[in-house]
Amino acid sequence: MAHFDTEYQRLEASYSDSPPGEENLLMHVPEGVKSQWHHIENLDLFFQRVYNLHQKNGFTCMLLGEIFELVQLLFVVGFTVFLANCVDYDVLFANKFVNHTDSSKVTLPDAFLPVDVCSARIRNNAFVIFVLIISGVFWLHRLIKFIYNVCCYWEIRSFYINALKMTMSELPYATWQEVQARIVEIQKEHQICIHKKELTELDIYHRILRFKNYMVAMVNKSLLPVRFRLPVLGEYVFYTRGLKYNFELIFFWGPGSLFENEWSLKQEYKRGGNRLELADRLASRILWIGIANLLLCPVILVWQILYAFFSYTEVIKREPGSLGARCWSLYGRCYLRHFNELDHELMSRLSKGYKAASKYMNCFLSPLLTVVAKNVAFFAGSLLAVLIALTIYDEDVLAVEHVLSSITLLGVCITICRSFIPDKHMVFCPEQLLRVILAHIHYMPDHWQGNAHRYETRDQFSQLFQYKAVFILEELLSPVVTPIILIFCLRRKSLEIIDFFRNFTVEVVGVGDTCSFAQMDIRQHGHPAWMSEGKTEASIYQQAEDGKTELSLMHFAITNPQWQPPRETTHFISQLKERVHREATGAPSDTHPMSLSESEPRSLIANLLTGPSTLASVHFDRDISLANHAAAGINDGGSALRSLSPISSSLHLRGSLSAAHRAAGHTSRTMAGSGTDARTVSSGSSAWEGQLTSLVLSEYASTEMSIHALYMHELHKQQSRGEMSRHTWHRQESDESSDSIPDEVRSEPILHSRNFPRSHTFPTTVPSPSAIPTSASATSSTALGQEGPTAQSSSQRHHSGPTTDPFGTGVKIVRSARVPMGGWSSSATTP
């Protein structure tokens, strides 16, 4: 293939998931033993339906949900047309007198217009007729799709019952790991995929997440136009469900898309000879889809407004402060998502970080706004108290005009004001809170660390964790903004998109064309600054940003302990686990690698959840090396995870962890005999214990990943700091949450000519010298565990002599103080 000077380079598949010698194997099964699930043609769609049925808790729940969605659509359209054309609002608001023969009291039916008048008003309104036609066509399309899905999911139900031996009543209480383990097991009997003798966990994830992995990679490489610089708002991220739908329509499954089917990229997009022609064709297609969005904008906008009105009005009336609550943005979910991470795994991880994220954002409430809110709440509360007192004294006060409306509005006003008043027990500790958030979300730009107290960091984090009201407003504006982005922004990136899909698509035997980033291959996509030095051959354009490859690999290995990765990947995982275990427990260097993914958890996680941890023995003195810097980060993360863990309290109530250990051991031995994953919910009389064991083991895996993420970020920060110290002296500005920064760090001057690298996903302007973090990203750092002599740099200086790197990485470490975790509590008491 000819080489083109583009931003991306062609990659070859590093390995296949087929066992050795089976790369081109086509299984032959005698006719007599073939089952109805032998050689399923579209395994992508099949596995997606298997996963969806599991997540929707069985066939009956899924069926009812689909039926109510159809009824909901009819209700929204019909009820809106009725309110607009069939109600006499003069009667409803008592502006018109109604004659009654039996009584003088006005009833609700008196406000309804006669049927002939109502139908005449509808026939004479062209816009209403147009909306009804569009809605009817859309509803019929949904009805046909519903009937088709019922037939398909009935087959999936049969697959669960007959092949996986799981009833629909058991499905809501079974973990996905159990379902997946049974799918892998029945491959030997039913030959679901005839191109491979054995299926792996990664095969199933690839097929379920094929297109989502591409989207995660494009966001990671800043390819999608979702970040804009506006005149008043500054840098703003706009990524809505409507825009996401159009991206997927253009790239994956719409007419004229880049993919021939669910598992194969079109051959013309795999060749670089006609890339300019393909880019022009893609740009033209994006233009036409943008024009179609523009033409349908009025209808879609009306639907968005009506759906938001019917969905959120009751919630706002019941909980007015809900609009002031926050949620993870759609962009945040894509940016924080690992490669090969299922929806329920992502949402579980983000939900665990929600509490700390909310506390972090509440640290930045405006003092001026707080003063105004307190006084407005006082005056509104005074008026409300008087009206309530008068109502209690005489209920006829409610009959006075606008009294009930005033009580409602005053209550809403007080609730909104309270959302701007911070908790008086809250302690300002943004650095510690950001560390707790990192333990769960796993990704964070380098320039956030050390600058958690700054509004720039807060504004960038708000792009991931936005107000619910902002989320609703963006969705309402999406029909208007989406065609503009498609026509004027996405079209200009058509050539880069063509190059991306050609250069980062690999064919895997038995799976099809997948995103090469989803292979989680350190050699092809590793980043030297994330413990891949010496293990990766990737150029700067082939590297995944923010340690996405390394963190995704660890997450997948921990979530799927039965997965057998390639030899180089196995070495990286085992070496990292060994380092974490040794530095956290203070064990000697010949300690065996820790394998917490096995059936019975070992010392590190058990100590984290049950109280006094061996991590407490890791002290943080001024002469401590890089290893203890990383261990200190884990120690802080451990204390935070203990405070946030829902399992720890339940285990304390049970008295000790030994019962859970025995249950885990018993369950693992039972499942080992049946070939089932250890994280399996048991049945029969021990169903409750089995569910508790599954929950405990799931928490172990989550905590283990949090510890590894903290360790990798801490080591990355220290390596980057050591690399930066070769070129510049830098100063770390202290904030209110950092109470023990060494004097040598405080006294270091700044070399102003140095430009610190930034995250590609969060590009920001270089801050003032006082705001330069000590954890700036380094483009070249050393590998974890790389042995060799220590490289001495003549430009590197320390006030108290050099510090030895125990990993043998050749990096001189600038020592920084440990910032203890904690300092905040949701149930603090008044001193």
Side-chain angles (χ1 to χ4, degrees):
M1 180 180 295
H3 172 73
F4 294 93
D5 187 17
T6 63
E7 187 176 2
Y8 304 107
Q9 303 298 319
R10 175 69 178 175
L11 295 178
E12 300 297 335
S14 60
Y15 64 91
S16 71
D17 289 326
S18 299
E22 298 179 2
E23 289 80 4
N24 299 316
L25 179 66
L26 186 65
M27 298 298 299
H28 172 72
V29 180
E31 291 292 334
V33 297
K34 285 185 179 179
S35 68
Q36 65 181 107
W37 299 287
H38 171 71
H39 186 196
I40 297 175
E41 183 177 358
N42 192 340
L43 274 177
D44 285 41
L45 197 57
F46 179 80
F47 284 145
Q48 288 170 11
R49 288 170 177 163
V50 171
Y51 176 72
N52 290 336
L53 192 64
H54 173 267
Q55 293 300 302
K56 294 181 179 179
N57 300 316
F59 181 80
T60 304
C61 294
M62 187 218 67
L63 182 65
L64 286 177
E66 294 284 343
I67 292 175
F68 279 119
E69 284 186 5
L70 290 174
V71 175
Q72 189 180 84
L73 177 60
L74 285 178
F75 174 79
V76 170
V77 175
F79 190 52
T80 302
V81 171
F82 174 79
L83 291 177
N85 299 277
C86 301
V87 176
D88 191 345
Y89 289 97
D90 289 332
V91 175
L92 191 64
F93 296 147
N95 296 328
K96 181 191 294 185
F97 180 74
V98 179
N99 293 323
H100 286 276
T101 58
D102 52 348
S103 65
S104 60
K105 187 175 182 180
V106 178
T107 60
L108 189 60
D110 293 333
F112 298 158
L113 295 175
V115 176
D116 54 344
V117 177
C118 179
S119 59
R121 295 180 63 175
I122 293 176
R123 287 193 300 269
N124 295 332
N125 194 326
F127 180 75
V128 173
I129 296 297
F130 175 74
V131 170
L132 288 176
I133 293 175
I134 296 296
S135 301
V137 172
F138 181 70
W139 190 84
L140 288 176
H141 171 264
R142 290 288 300 271
L143 179 62
I144 296 173
K145 186 178 178 180
F146 164 74
I147 296 174
Y148 174 74
N149 284 338
V150 169
C151 298
C152 294
Y153 278 101
W154 184 262
E155 292 293 329
I156 302 300
R157 175 184 177 274
S158 177
F159 174 76
Y160 268 102
I161 295 175
N162 299 322
L164 300 184
K165 308 302 180 183
M166 299 178 66
T167 63
M168 292 295 100
S169 60
E170 296 174 353
L171 196 58
Y173 308 103
T175 62
W176 171 250
Q177 279 71 24
E178 177 183 1
V179 175
Q180 183 175 256
R182 297 192 182 191
I183 293 175
V184 172
E185 184 68 23
I186 67 169
Q187 163 67 10
K188 304 173 184 178
E189 176 185 354
H190 296 280
Q191 289 303 316
I192 300 175
C193 176
I194 63 172
H195 297 283
K196 300 184 70 173
K197 184 177 181 180
E198 296 181 359
L199 281 177
T200 67
E201 292 80 2
L202 188 58
D203 292 338
I204 299 175
Y205 274 71
H206 275 338
R207 290 189 175 275
I208 296 176
L209 301 170
R210 189 187 304 272
F211 297 153
K212 290 183 179 179
N213 281 328
Y214 275 107
M215 295 295 291
V216 172
M218 285 190 283
V219 169
N220 182 259
K221 298 299 291 184
S222 301
L223 186 60
L224 297 179
V226 296
R227 190 177 293 274
F228 310 95
R229 185 166 293 278
L230 304 179
V232 178
L233 300 177
E235 189 175 272
Y236 192 84
V237 173
F238 187 85
Y239 190 51
T240 62
R241 288 179 291 189
L243 185 59
K244 177 176 176 288
Y245 177 86
N246 279 274
F247 285 159
E248 294 175 350
L249 176 70
I250 294 170
F251 299 147
F252 304 124
W253 54 267
S257 63
L258 280 63
F259 277 76
E260 186 176 0
N261 46 49
E262 282 84 356
W263 62 88
S264 178
L265 186 69
K266 292 180 179 177
Q267 291 297 323
E268 56 189 4
Y269 291 100
K270 298 179 181 180
R271 300 186 295 267
N274 56 345
R275 53 192 289 271
L276 296 178
E277 177 186 350
L278 293 175
D280 292 339
R281 189 189 308 173
L282 179 62
S284 176
R285 183 166 173 269
I286 293 173
L287 175 62
W288 285 110
I289 292 180
I291 294 175
N293 275 269
L294 199 60
L295 295 177
L296 293 175
C297 174
V299 178
I300 300 175
L301 182 61
V302 170
W303 167 258
Q304 292 277 57
I305 294 174
L306 292 176
Y307 186 81
F309 175 79
F310 290 126
S311 299
Y312 297 109
T313 300
E314 189 275 333
V315 177
I316 294 173
K317 179 182 180 299
R318 177 167 39 88
E319 300 177 6
S322 59
L323 291 179
R326 290 185 176 268
C327 63
W328 296 103
S329 66
L330 194 62
Y331 171 78
R333 298 176 196 176
C334 195
Y335 169 75
L336 298 174
R337 189 172 197 147
H338 293 296
F339 294 122
N340 302 310
E341 184 175 22
L342 294 172
D343 292 343
H344 76 279
E345 297 170 352
L346 172 67
M347 295 313 300
S348 174
R349 187 162 55 85
L350 296 183
S351 297
K352 293 176 182 178
Y354 182 88
K355 179 180 178 181
S358 298
K359 288 180 176 292
Y360 174 75
M361 297 303 294
N362 290 337
C363 290
F364 294 90
L365 293 177
S366 172
L368 180 61
L369 192 60
T370 299
V371 173
V372 173
K374 286 181 178 179
N375 287 274
V376 171
F378 170 78
F379 293 122
S382 301
L383 295 175
L384 181 61
V386 172
L387 291 177
I388 292 176
L390 293 175
T391 302
I392 294 175
Y393 178 75
D394 189 349
E395 62 180 11
D396 291 336
V397 175
L398 293 175
V400 179
E401 189 176 12
H402 301 312
V403 168
L404 189 59
S405 301
S406 300
I407 293 176
T408 303
L409 292 177
L410 289 172
V412 171
C413 179
I414 294 172
T415 304
I416 295 176
C417 289
R418 285 177 179 173
S419 65
F420 294 101
I421 302 175
D423 183 5
K424 62 180 179 181
H425 302 302
M426 185 178 64
V427 180
F428 184 77
C429 50
E431 291 291 348
Q432 290 91 331
L433 287 171
L434 205 59
R435 180 72 66 86
V436 177
I437 296 170
L438 176 61
H440 294 296
I441 67 175
H442 302 166
Y443 293 102
M444 185 177 295
D446 294 333
H447 57 272
W448 285 8
Q449 300 190 36
N451 291 301
H453 60 289
R454 297 187 175 276
Y455 272 90
E456 292 83 357
T457 304
R458 180 260 184 199
D459 292 339
Q460 293 177 17
F461 185 72
S462 66
Q463 297 171 0
L464 309 179
F465 196 62
Q466 62 183 177
Y467 281 114
K468 186 70 173 179
V470 175
F471 172 81
I472 297 174
L473 182 61
E474 287 182 349
E475 291 296 333
L476 293 178
L477 295 176
S478 179
V480 179
V481 179
T482 294
I484 298 175
I485 295 177
L486 295 178
I487 296 173
F488 296 102
C489 300
L490 186 63
R491 287 179 62 221
R492 294 183 297 183
K493 289 181 171 288
S494 58
L495 183 59
E496 296 179 60
I497 294 171
I498 294 297
D499 291 335
F500 177 88
F501 278 93
R502 184 185 71 255
N503 295 326
F504 292 130
T505 296
V506 293
E507 183 177 358
V508 180
V509 175
V511 177
D513 293 333
T514 63
C515 181
S516 60
F517 286 99
Q519 295 294 103
M520 302 176 295
D521 184 16
I522 300 297
R523 182 173 63 85
Q524 290 188 353
H525 294 299
H527 200 295
W530 289 87
M531 290 161 282
S532 296
E533 181 75 15
K535 300 181 179 66
T536 180
E537 302 173 1
S539 65
I540 188 173
Y541 301 112
Q542 297 168 342
Q543 299 164 358
E545 303 297 328
D546 301 319
K548 179 76 77 172
T549 301
E550 293 79 4
L551 286 166
S552 298
L553 175 61
M554 289 305 305
H555 177 267
F556 189 84
I558 292 173
T559 306
N560 300 273
Q562 306 301 325
W563 176 57
Q564 298 296 329
R567 181 179 304 174
E568 314 87 51
T569 305
T570 303
H571 178 70
F572 176 86
I573 295 172
S574 60
Q575 192 177 45
L576 178 57
K577 286 188 176 184
E578 180 181 2
R579 299 292 185 184
V580 172
H581 179 62
R582 184 167 66 243
E583 302 307 330
T585 61
S589 58
D590 58 349
T591 303
H592 294 288
M594 175 186 59
S595 179
L596 293 177
S597 299
E598 297 174 1
S599 59
E600 185 172 357
R602 305 277 177 97
S603 59
L604 178 58
I605 307 301
N607 286 329
L608 274 172
L609 293 180
T610 54
S613 174
T614 54
L615 297 177
S617 62
V618 182
H619 300 286
F620 202 83
D621 300 324
R622 295 199 172 203
D623 58 346
I624 278 183
S625 61
L626 167 63
N628 284 345
H629 281 273
I634 301 175
N635 189 18
D636 292 343
S639 61
L641 292 170
R642 278 201 307 274
S643 64
L644 294 178
S645 172
I647 298 298
S648 58
S649 58
S650 64
L651 292 179
H652 282 300
L653 290 176
R654 290 176 63 90
S656 67
L657 193 62
S658 58
H661 281 193
R662 290 192 296 270
H666 174 72
T667 303
S668 62
R669 289 190 295 272
T670 303
M671 296 307 170
S674 59
T676 309
D677 187 4
R679 295 184 178 93
T680 301
V681 180
S682 62
S683 59
S685 60
S686 59
W688 186 87
E689 289 81 358
Q691 294 172 21
L692 176 63
T693 302
S694 177
L695 181 62
V696 170
L697 293 177
S698 176
E699 189 72 14
Y700 285 144
S702 174
T703 308
E704 181 185 3
M705 183 58 210
S706 297
I707 292 174
H708 282 81
L710 287 172
Y711 182 87
M712 295 172 72
H713 274 273
E714 188 71 20
L715 190 60
H716 168 70
K717 180 178 69 174
Q718 297 300 328
Q719 288 177 338
S720 301
R721 182 178 301 171
E723 182 68 21
M724 293 302 302
S725 66
R726 301 183 183 187
H727 308 285
T728 181
W729 297 103
H730 51 279
R731 173 191 179 99
Q732 179 179 6
E733 179 176 336
S734 61
D735 64 271
E736 298 181 26
S737 64
S738 301
D739 54 359
S740 57
I741 297 181
D743 296 335
E744 56 265 31
V745 177
R746 295 181 186 274
S747 60
E748 290 174 351
I750 301 174
L751 186 60
H752 297 273
S753 61
R754 175 66 178 173
N755 291 326
F756 290 86
R758 295 285 172 168
S759 168
H760 289 199
T761 317
F762 276 86
T764 58
T765 56
V766 178
S768 60
S770 62
I772 296 178
T774 60
S775 59
S777 172
T779 58
S780 175
S781 63
T782 54
L784 176 65
Q786 177 183 350
E787 302 299 333
T790 303
Q792 178 69 30
S793 175
S794 59
S795 62
Q796 185 177 14
R797 292 173 289 177
H798 298 277
H799 289 283
S800 56
T803 302
T804 304
D805 177 13
F807 293 103
T809 56
V811 178
K812 295 293 183 177
I813 308 306
V814 177
R815 297 183 300 274
S816 63
R818 169 191 172 194
V819 180
M821 296 293 294
W824 56 273
S825 174
S826 60
S827 59
T829 56
T830 306

